[in-house]
Each structure stands twice: as structure tokens, then as C-alpha cells.
Amino acid sequence: MKVWDAIVVGAGPAGCACACDLASAGSSVLLLDKSEFPRMKACAGGLTMKTVRALRYSIAPVVRQSIDRMVLEERDSSSIPVRNKKSICVMTERAELDAYCLAKTIEAGALFQRIRGIAGIVEDKDQVVITTQDEVMRGRFLVGADGVNSQVRRMTSDGGWFRTAFAIEANVRRDAQKDDLVFDFAPVMAGYGWVFPKRDHVNVGLYSMDKNEKLNRSHLSAYIAKRLGVESKAENFVGQHAGFGAAQHRVESDRVFLAGDAGGFVDLLTGEGIYGAVISGQAAAAAILAELDKKATAKHTFIHLTENLRQNLQIAERIAMSFYANPQRGFRAMKTPLLRSAILKGYADGLDLAALVQKGRRVLPRTEAIRRK
């Protein structure tokens, strides 16, 4: 029976980032997914520029719109416009993006195969045995990139570190116009509403990490009517959990690694998941290549390569808890040019959150002092 250098479960951004790097390096890669592509996937489809730069290929063919301005709105109806000389992010349709990335990954040399599900995973000293509904597969390494409901995670990790937030979205058709990207912190607790322009339509959604917040179709429909007008007709309603907790996860396996939502690499503050998916997927590939090349163990390499990402996600989680507990205070801070610039760089360009926190600690006391005067 063939033993693959790596078997990657999940052909989304994390799985494709991993499989593409492995295949490009000449490793044998089997990429598995239950879905046929293109597929419907709940995701607003915005890619920050740090994500665009991290990808190994241009995604220009699937970019709907480039954004250089966003607006942050607060419960008291105040707003903060944020503009950048360069693009903040680009807008894609997730179904188109995933199909495009999969095609690029197959082009790099990965073999894609649909499966009906995983029945069992056994990790031996030198390989991992995966039993699907139809066959048995063997790989030197296994990467679980199969999303928030990851079978790989459930079968190989205790999962106590893993948590979720929830989002629901829909599309509203409209004539092409110049729309801002909007993050609206008024409609939900511990989260936000968003409006993402995509040329011939806007994607509108609600995101919250509060388990008591009832995010459903009626809630989103009411928000769309209030935001865009009662005549706005929404379609393609879809909800999805986002996985986080990577900062608390301690990698224990020598041959099984988790990436993307499966590994909890979503930013709790912003809800952004594609950047963490790409970086963690590439880290898994680099870790596997390190051991295949006998340069270092895969486990310790993966821990090292994801350390900075995990630290930033941990800081983002702390900021999220503080910000959503008192959004008014956070908005007062964001009105200062220095911190607003730092936030923009952190969101779009990948400024380390440790540096952002340091700036915030310097700015917040001055902001509070000015407000009291």
C-alpha cells in the first residue's frame, strides 16, 4: 500500500496552503475533502493584504473589489473612517476563492480525492493510518484542516482548548457603487455587524462570541432592512461557527497537526480566519518538510513556526474581551490617530499585536486625560 509523505484532510485555505507547499517541494501529498468544488462556504470573503502576500500565487482572477477605506461604527451612532493609501483588503467570493486555490494546489502536484468521511485514525511510530468509509490510507504525516467540525481534531485531541464563535451572513444584490467596508458594533453584543462590498452585491453579516446572542435569519434580515432599506432582498443566508483557542493548544502529536479552523487559528477580535489558516497550513508543510529532509523534528518545527501566530491570537483574545466589555472606551482610544494607524496596520498588514498593545498602553492614558479635561 502506498505511503504518502502527507495526507491533508480539508481542501480549504489551510489545507491547500499546506498541500501546495508540500507538493511544490516534491513531496507526495493526498488532499482529501468531502465536498465537490466549487462549494458553498459561510465566509465574508475579505482577504487582508497580509493574507494576499502570504499566498504563494496571485488571486487576481477571483478578486471582486479592492478596498482602501473602512468605517468603524459605534452604538452611539458615532463613526471612525479609516483610510489607507494602499489597499486594506480585497473582496472575494469564498466559493470562487476555494475552487481557485484547489486548482492551484492540484497544479502544484497534489492529488485531490473526495471522501465520505473518516472512520478512524491510528498514529504509529512511523506513519498515520486513516480509515475512511471506503478505504484505508497511510501517510507519514497527517494534517487536519477540516474546519470547525474537524473529525481529525475530535479523533486525535482532547479538544478541551477548542472554542467557537458564530456568524451568519447573506448577500444583497445592488447596482455597482462605491461602498465602504463597514464594521458596525451596534447590532450585537460581543461582536459586530459587517457590510462588505463586492461590485454587484454586498455581503452583510453578524458575528458574535456571546453564546447568548441569538444570531439567526430573522435577526440578520432585520439588520439588513434597517441598514440597507426595507426593500433590500437578501439571499444565500448561511451560518457558520469559527474556531479559536490555538493559543491554549499544546501540540502533543509527532505526526498529526491541526491547521486553520480545525486548530483554532481564528482571530477572536476580528473574526478573521483565512490569514491564520494560510499561515498555519504553511507552517505544517514546513514542519513536515523539515523532518522529511532530516533537518529537525516536525513537531518541534511546527510549534516553533506557529509560536508567533499563537501569541498574537492570545493577545487578540485579551483585547477582544476588554474591547467588547466596554466598546465605548475602545472607540475613544481608536479616535487617536496613532492607535487608529496601528489598528489599521495590524488588521491589514500584520503588525504584531504585541507592538499594538504597547502603543495602546501609551495612548490610552493620554486619551483618558484629554477626555476628563
Side-chain angles (χ1 to χ4, degrees), residues 101-346:
C101 291
L102 177 58
K104 285 291 186 181
T105 303
I106 294 171
E107 183 181 308
L111 178 66
F112 176 68
Q113 181 176 324
R114 288 187 65 193
I115 59 173
R116 291 191 293 161
I118 298 175
I121 298 172
V122 177
E123 181 180 354
D124 294 330
K125 180 180 178 181
D126 300 318
Q127 63 182 6
V128 183
V129 181
I130 301 95
T131 304
T132 71
Q133 301 294 338
D134 302 300
E135 61 184 302
V136 176
M137 306 168 180
R138 299 176 186 272
R140 292 181 176 84
F141 296 93
L142 172 64
V143 177
D146 47 339
V148 69
N149 297 314
S150 171
Q151 289 182 297
V152 176
R153 184 187 64 250
R154 289 202 300 267
M155 293 180 179
T156 62
S157 170
D158 62 18
W161 50 271
F162 187 79
R163 291 156 289 154
T164 62
F166 187 74
I168 185 170
E169 64 178 73
N171 292 329
V172 179
R173 296 287 169 183
R174 63 191 309 177
D175 295 333
Q177 55 184 283
K178 183 67 174 179
D179 289 299
D180 290 327
L181 183 155
V182 176
F183 288 101
D184 178 3
F185 296 92
V188 296
M189 299 301 295
Y192 58 82
W194 75 79
V195 180
F196 281 12
K198 299 186 181 181
R199 196 182 304 155
D200 62 345
H201 71 279
V202 291
N203 179 272
V204 186
L206 299 170
Y207 162 83
S208 177
M209 62 182 191
D210 188 337
K211 302 297 183 182
N212 296 317
E213 186 71 69
K214 303 300 182 184
L215 299 186
N216 51 37
R217 181 169 180 149
S218 61
H219 191 164
L220 179 56
S221 294
Y223 178 64
I224 291 172
K226 181 179 179 180
R227 177 106 214 168
L228 301 179
V230 293
E231 298 301 321
S232 299
K233 294 183 179 180
E235 57 187 13
N236 299 329
F237 284 83
V238 61
Q240 177 72 20
H241 285 92
F244 64 100
Q248 290 76 35
H249 181 213
R250 297 296 173 260
V251 180
E252 296 181 355
S253 175
D254 292 324
R255 298 194 170 274
V256 181
F257 307 113
L258 300 173
D261 271 63
F265 285 98
V266 171
D267 184 326
L268 183 62
L269 176 64
T270 64
E272 181 184 15
I274 298 181
Y275 177 71
V278 171
I279 297 302
S280 59
Q282 291 173 347
I288 291 168
L289 290 171
E291 185 157 330
L292 291 176
D293 293 339
K294 299 181 179 179
K295 294 180 179 178
T297 64
K299 174 183 176 180
H300 290 99
T301 303
F302 184 64
I303 291 172
H304 171 69
L305 291 177
T306 58
E307 181 179 8
N308 185 66
L309 177 58
R310 293 178 196 273
Q311 287 177 346
N312 276 274
L313 290 174
Q314 186 171 40
I315 294 171
E317 185 173 336
R318 292 172 182 167
I319 295 174
M321 295 300 182
S322 175
F323 177 82
Y324 290 124
N326 189 346
Q328 293 82 3
R329 181 172 182 267
F331 257 74
R332 287 198 298 270
M334 282 191 287
K335 289 178 180 178
T336 63
L338 179 62
L339 191 56
R340 187 164 64 244
S341 174
I343 291 169
L344 179 62
K345 289 183 180 296

